[in-house]
């Protein structure tokens, strides 16, 4: 009989570096500000339908859930997300682990998005002391208090304001202050803070699991005629939403006539027709998990095809 003895890497041997002098591609001083540039620059038939659905949802006090990919933060659009929450167009905001990291770095450092092609060459990619140490500390402290992942980060910022001079542009912190859930749905091994000696995977799993429960409740609250947006999350957002929707319907939630909208830059053509497995579009998860399957019994599934730097500012301008 062969005995398998697995070996594990010792994370404590990892070298970390201060982020204070790091070159950042996204900075507080180059974030886009609503109303400070030409915002109303995008249109499509689907977009017009979505605008009316969102206005109706706000008027009728219906739930609007939104899952963003980290690139929305990297496009400098944080202030637009904050405006949408402040003005009643997002009831629950969610993202993946990378979304939390970029938002956290902007809050303490005033910059995020390192230059990966050069950093990966010498093993310095993601090895930023403050990011890893502080985020992992926040998550461990939050796990001890039975917080979710997003709650844990927000409490940490709130309790250590001297570390976060740019917290007013921090999406999860502003959501917390508004009483709006901001949840993070983490895949172990995908985020730079998992590379650090301080990573506590039990705490990460516990807090992100709590966030999934929060998200499922918000999907239940979509009820009839709620709206779900998936902005730039081609895998995590699409998969998490479909599982949450299944749980909601399993527990009797009336989510037959919801509106779903996927924002991305992948050309899909006629995204409502069935396609075979010989087409690459078949394997694009949002097509099935956001646009088509959730509204198979009714409702409306939309695709907003365009660059986030055009679609999100226009969303703000039209709703304003």
């Amino acid at each position: 009989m062969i005995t398998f003895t697995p070996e594990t890497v010792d994370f404590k041997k990892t070298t970390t570096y201060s982020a204070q002098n790091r070159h950042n591609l996204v900075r507080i001083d180059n974030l886009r500000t609503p109303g400070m540039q030409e915002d109303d620059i995008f249109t499509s038939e689907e977009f017009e339908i979505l605008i009316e659905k969102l206005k109706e949802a706000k008027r009728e006090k219906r739930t609007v859930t939104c899952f963003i990919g980290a690139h929305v933060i990297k496009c400098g659009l944080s202030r637009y997300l904050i405006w949408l929450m402040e003005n009643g167009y997002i009831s629950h905001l969610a993202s993946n682990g990378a979304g939390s990291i970029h938002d956290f770095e902007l809050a303490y450092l005033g910059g995020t998005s390192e230059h990966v092609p050069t950093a990966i060459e010498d093993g310095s990619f993601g090895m930023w002391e403050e990011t890893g140490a502080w985020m992992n500390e926040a998550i461990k402290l939050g796990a001890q208090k039975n917080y979710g992942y997003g709650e844990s980060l927000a409490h940490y910022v709130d309790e250590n304001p001297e570390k976060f001079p740019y917290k007013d542009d921090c999406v999860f912190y502003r959501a917390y202050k508004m009483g709006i859930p901001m949840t993070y749905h983490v895949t172990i091994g995908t985020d730079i803070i998992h590379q650090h000696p301080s990573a506590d995977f039990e705490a990460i799993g516990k807090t992100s699991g709590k966030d999934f429960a929060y998200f499922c409740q918000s999907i239940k609250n979509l009820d009839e005629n709620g709206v779900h947006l998936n902005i730039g999350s081609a895998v995590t957002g699409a998969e998490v939403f479909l599982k949450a929707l299944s749980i909601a319907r399993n527990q009797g939630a009336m989510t037959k006539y919801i509106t779903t909208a996927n924002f991305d830059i992948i050309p899909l053509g006629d995204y409502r027709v069935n396609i075979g497995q010989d087409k690459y579009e078949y394997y694009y998860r949002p097509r099935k998990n956001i646009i088509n399957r959730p509204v198979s019994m009714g409702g409306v599934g939309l695709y907003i095809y365009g660059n986030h730097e055009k679609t999100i500012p226009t969303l703000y301008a039209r709703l304003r």
Side-chain angles (χ1 to χ4, degrees):
M1 180 177 177
I2 299 175
T3 302
F4 175 58
T5 306
E7 296 184 14
T8 59
V9 72
D10 184 357
F11 289 98
K12 296 214 172 354
K13 293 181 179 179
T14 301
T15 302
T16 61
Y17 312 89
S18 174
Q20 292 300 326
N21 296 316
R22 188 184 74 189
H23 175 68
N24 300 293
L25 302 177
V26 182
R27 305 182 310 278
I28 288 292
D29 65 357
N30 63 20
L31 292 185
R32 293 176 61 106
T33 300
M36 297 298 290
Q37 54 273 311
E38 183 61 44
D39 289 319
D40 196 351
I41 52 178
F42 176 85
T43 188
S44 72
E45 180 182 350
E46 292 90 343
F47 195 75
E48 298 306 314
I49 295 171
L50 178 61
I51 293 296
E52 292 309 310
K53 291 291 186 180
L54 286 169
K55 288 180 177 179
E56 182 181 300
K58 178 180 178 179
R59 188 168 58 247
E60 301 295 331
K61 295 182 170 53
R62 297 171 186 154
T63 296
V64 179
T65 53
C66 179
F67 200 114
I68 63 166
H71 204 71
V72 178
I73 303 293
K74 291 180 68 174
C75 284
L77 299 171
S78 300
R79 292 168 183 165
Y80 289 91
L81 297 172
I82 292 167
W83 186 91
L84 289 166
M85 290 189 292
E86 284 180 330
N87 288 273
Y89 292 109
I90 294 178
S91 314
H92 182 133
L93 189 58
S95 188
N96 54 20
S100 71
I101 291 167
H102 290 305
D103 204 16
F104 191 92
E105 288 192 332
L106 280 169
Y108 86 79
L109 188 62
T112 191
S113 190
E114 61 188 290
H115 190 254
V116 179
T118 52
I120 195 64
E121 293 175 353
D122 61 6
S124 64
F125 165 60
M127 302 302 184
W128 308 109
E129 175 62 27
E130 298 87 350
T131 304
W134 293 350
M135 288 192 72
N136 282 312
E137 180 184 17
I139 292 164
K140 283 188 279 190
L141 290 171
Q144 293 167 10
K145 297 178 181 179
N146 205 32
Y147 294 154
Y149 189 110
E151 283 180 291
S152 300
L153 298 181
H155 276 278
Y156 189 82
V157 172
D158 203 42
E159 293 161 13
N160 299 277
E162 73 285 352
K163 291 182 177 179
F164 300 95
Y166 308 102
K167 63 183 182 299
D168 285 346
D169 282 315
C170 178
V171 179
F172 67 73
Y173 179 71
R174 294 293 296 275
Y176 165 73
K177 285 297 189 180
M178 294 178 220
I180 292 174
M182 174 89 211
T183 56
Y184 292 101
H185 305 269
V186 174
T187 303
I188 299 295
T190 60
D191 302 325
I192 62 168
I193 64 170
H194 303 166
Q195 304 169 180
H196 285 247
S198 58
D200 183 332
F201 297 106
E202 291 183 10
I204 292 167
K206 179 180 179 181
T207 55
S208 188
K210 184 89 169 179
D211 274 8
F212 181 57
Y214 288 145
F215 185 72
C216 289
Q217 182 59 48
S218 290
I219 297 305
K220 286 182 69 175
N221 292 342
L222 286 175
D223 203 35
E224 300 294 20
N225 298 310
V227 180
H228 177 70
L229 311 176
N230 185 70
I231 306 177
S233 184
V235 178
T236 303
E239 294 295 344
V240 170
F241 172 67
L242 198 69
K243 277 65 173 184
L245 184 63
S246 182
I247 289 172
R249 289 176 173 173
N250 178 274
Q251 295 189 6
M254 300 297 293
T255 57
K256 183 177 179 181
Y257 296 106
I258 60 175
T259 296
T260 61
N262 186 64
F263 289 65
D264 214 339
I265 57 173
I266 304 293
L268 293 182
D270 186 353
Y271 53 83
R272 293 187 176 90
V273 301
N274 290 325
I275 54 173
Q277 296 184 24
D278 59 328
K279 302 290 193 301
Y280 81 88
E281 298 100 321
Y282 176 86
Y283 300 96
Y284 178 62
R285 306 313 300 172
R287 179 183 180 126
K288 292 185 284 189
N289 292 7
I290 302 294
I291 304 169
N292 297 143
R293 288 171 174 167
V295 298
S296 61
M297 300 183 294
V300 179
L302 303 167
Y303 184 49
I304 311 301
Y305 170 48
N307 191 301
H308 301 324
E309 294 178 3
K310 293 183 178 179
T311 58
I312 304 308
T314 306
L315 187 66
Y316 151 77
R318 296 295 308 281
L319 294 173
R320 181 191 61 184

